[in-house]
Structures are given as structure tokens and as C-alpha cells.
Amino acid sequence: MSKEPKPVAIIMIEDDEGHARLIEKNIRRAGVTNEIISFRNGTSAVNYLLGADGSGLAAIGRPSLVLLDLNLPDMTGIDILARLKANEHTRRTPVIVLTTTDDAREIQRCYDLGANVYITKPLNYESFANAIRQLGLFLSVMQIPELD
């Protein structure tokens, strides 16, 4: 008999408050009811994900999925991605990069570091809202690995 999996928390690292509200609203419209934990900067997000000591032990038994903006006020999303994927306890945490940057080298770099999905935010409001609703549908069927 398998134990019931813990619900997956969505960790949203997005410094633009308007984008954060739009992302949450449209993920909810897609029927996703998972807890969404929002961070406006990389430092507080990394402290939450890896723990204050940076060991990653805080992530054990706390399944999560990260929605990551690359352009943050205090550190780059690339740095956060690299730290998560380099840590033995968080390396399997799915990371979806959601950013305005559509530079091919930046996209390649994110995948090389272990990003699971890279989405460029459409600049048009309706397109952005639609893209997030589609992301919500994807999140509703996605399987997340257990962290150890």
C-alpha cells in the first residue's frame, strides 16, 4: 500500500507584483488549487528552498515546483536555478523558468543548468493570461518526484 503523496506547493519567485497576481489568477482559473508561496526576491526564496543554512535539508518531505523569473532585484534566476540543481536535496525539484527574456543563449543556459521548462512571458496581456492558463493545465497533470 503506497502512502498518500503530499500536495505539491508552487513556489513563485517573481518580483513584478502585477505579473505575480496575473500568474496566480490564471493558474487558479485552470483549476489548480495547490498552495502558491510567493517570493519577490531571490534571497528569501533561496532561504526557503534550501533552508537558512543552505544545506537543502529543509526541502526533504516538502514537495514543490518552482516558477522562476530570471530578472530579480537581488540575484539572477540563473543563480537560483544553479543552486537548486547543484544541491543533492533539491536537484529533482521541477523548475519552470517564466521570464521576459527570449535570448537563445539564456534559454540554452537554463536548460544546461537543469531547467525543466522555459517559457517566455508574452508582452500582450491576453496572450500572457492565456499562456499561464495553459501552464496551469500542465501543472494539474504533472508528476513531481519525492525529494530525499
Side-chain angles (χ1 to χ4, degrees):
M1 189 166 100
S2 67
K3 61 182 179 163
E4 187 65 30
K6 280 189 170 175
V8 175
I10 298 170
I11 311 302
M12 179 171 47
I13 309 170
E14 170 62 70
D15 66 318
D16 183 309
E17 195 176 333
H19 284 184
R21 278 197 308 268
L22 189 64
I23 291 166
E24 183 163 357
K25 183 170 87 174
N26 285 288
I27 284 176
R28 297 289 183 226
R29 278 189 180 158
V32 175
T33 58
N34 301 53
E35 177 183 16
I36 297 177
I37 304 169
S38 252
F39 294 96
R40 300 287 276 297
N41 64 63
T43 304
S44 56
V46 167
N47 286 343
Y48 175 81
L49 290 161
L50 295 178
D53 62 359
S55 68
L57 291 171
I60 296 173
R62 194 175 69 188
S64 57
L65 174 143
V66 176
L67 294 180
L68 177 63
D69 185 15
L70 294 184
N71 307 307
L72 299 165
D74 57 339
M75 68 174 66
T76 69
I78 297 274
D79 292 337
I80 296 169
L81 176 62
R83 289 179 68 179
L84 286 177
K85 294 302 183 175
N87 185 287
E88 65 177 317
H89 302 294
T90 57
R91 70 176 181 259
R92 288 193 300 252
T93 299
V95 176
I96 298 174
V97 175
L98 187 60
T99 189
T100 53
T101 308
D102 65 356
D103 178 274
R105 289 172 307 206
E106 198 85 328
I107 294 167
Q108 186 63 52
R109 191 164 171 216
C110 286
Y111 279 117
D112 287 348
L113 287 170
N116 299 83
V117 179
Y118 189 107
I119 300 170
T120 302
K121 294 177 189 171
L123 298 177
N124 166 292
Y125 175 86
E126 240 353 274
S127 299
F128 186 28
N130 188 44
I132 299 303
R133 273 193 297 277
Q134 290 177 39
L135 173 62
L137 295 172
F138 174 66
L139 295 179
S140 69
V141 298
M142 199 173 152
Q143 294 293 312
I144 305 286
E146 292 277 328
L147 300 180
D148 47 45

